[in-house]
Amino acid sequence: NIHPSELMKSAEQFIGLCYAELNRTQEEAESRLMDIRSQIELTGTYEHTSEELTHGAKMAWRNSNRCIGRLFWDRLKVTDARHLSKTSDIFSELIRHIENATNGGKIVPTITIFRPSRPGEPPLTIKNHQLIRYAGYETPDGTVGDPASISFTKECMELGWQGDLTHHDVLPLVVQQGNEPPEWLSIPHSSVLEVSLEHPELPDLIDQGLKWYGVPIISDMLLEIGGIMYTAAPFNGWYMGTEIGARNLADKERYNKLPLIAELMGQDTSSESTLWRDRALVELNYAVLYSFKKAGVSIVDHHTAATQFGLFERREEQAKRELTGDWSWLIPPVSPATTHIFHKSYNNEIRSPYFHYRNKGQ
Ligand code: HEM
Ligand SMILES: N=C(Nc1cccc(CNC[C@@H]2CCCN2)c1)c1cccs1
């Protein structure tokens, strides 16, 4: 846990920035800091107002160095769920997040913020990497589903969850209150929007049963605002097509679909130098974008995303804020050098508020 004097320093830095951005007066900031100081002296921590929580979450997205989608940082929908304590209520709120963020395909970037960790109180954690993700199983005939989920799937089965052993079993939500045993709940199938993959020039693709879920909702990161740690704050945007087409379905240690795509294209795969892998990669990424668009589910291609990021860079300059970024994650995995991002460098310093990785086992 964070020491009170350190916490006060973080609070001063956050309130100063946040109130300036919200055009509050110096006096308002100072009187707010007096409240906070007495709360910290009394309880060892302090509570954010709804406005501080909302703007703090938007600042954390704006500071996410690895995020190419930050142009829309100020339009994040923030749901304050700090009052919920019962696990059953937390599960219901997670399902509401999935349904409201999905919005029939017109995805709404949303974050739901649950109660932060408090001194002497074990934290609330969501054990899922993403609220919606496919299970992975090691079977004698090879892997079924998403290899990235094999260990978490084992944990879920130890808790009593049973999958159908298909390539697309949606894992249950798993929530842990402090050191109590984790609890799980299956997500209603009707709440999970999925897109089946097709390609206008590869008519046989549709019969391969390839599909992916529409809404990525990261649920295993720690949101730090003014020294307060929100250990359960799932957030979603929409996908950039390459995440599905160039990694989730393409990586050898994920769904490894490039050989199949090359086959459907009738390519000669006898030698790497035919670039069959690269041609398959482009067509798989095209299929992802084509299928999402046809299904009316929000998605962005990596060229458009890079252009939007360029707009974000200029907006931050106008706002006299120093841009931070992580070049190695900002460049897309397909045709990186066709984007402006590849040809410049970025300052990868951490600015608070920020989304951090949680320590293992936390
Ligand atoms: C609105 C559409 C959005 C798009 C298209 C987008 C795109 C991306 C992409 C492609 C990545 C790299 C992911 C990877 O390679 O695994 C990323 C990373 C990230 N994004 Fe965004 N993003 C969006 C919205 C958001 C929102 C709403 C938040 C939080 C409020 C957010 C926070 C982050 C963070 C923290 C990372 C780094 C994750 C890590 O370090 O593992 N993004 N984003
Ligand atoms: N489009 C998205 N993609 C995204 C964002 C953050 C983190 C991740 C998951 N990254 C981890 C994977 C696994 C290893 C490399 N990438 C995906 C969003 C997810 C939530 C909001 S936007």
Side-chain angles (χ1 to χ4, degrees), residues 134-193:
Y134 296 128
Y137 313 87
E138 270 168 329
T139 79
D141 313 332
T143 304
V144 171
D146 190 344
S149 295
I150 286 172
S151 63
F152 183 59
T153 302
K154 279 183 187 138
E155 279 182 55
C156 294
M157 293 175 75
E158 279 155 19
L159 295 175
W161 178 79
Q162 277 298 322
D164 300 331
L165 264 166
T166 77
H167 292 297
H168 303 105
D169 293 351
V170 176
L171 286 160
L173 299 173
V174 183
V175 162
Q176 180 165 30
Q177 297 257 24
N179 303 318
E180 291 167 30
E183 297 178 63
W184 63 272
L185 177 78
S186 290
I187 304 170
H189 201 257
S190 60
S191 307
V192 180
L193 178 57

Side-chain angles (χ1 to χ4, degrees), residues 129-130 216-218 235-240 243 247 329:
H129 164 61
Q130 295 183 32
I217 314 173
I218 298 298
F235 60 86
N236 75 276
W238 48 78
Y239 266 117
M240 181 161 83
E243 300 180 77
R247 302 302 311 276
W329 277 59

Side-chain angles (χ1 to χ4, degrees), residues 2 29 45 48 60 79 122-123 135 140 149 154 164 166 219 244 328:
I2 185 167
T45 186
H48 289 125
T79 303
S149 295
K154 279 183 187 138
D164 300 331
T166 77
S219 47
I244 304 168
S328 66

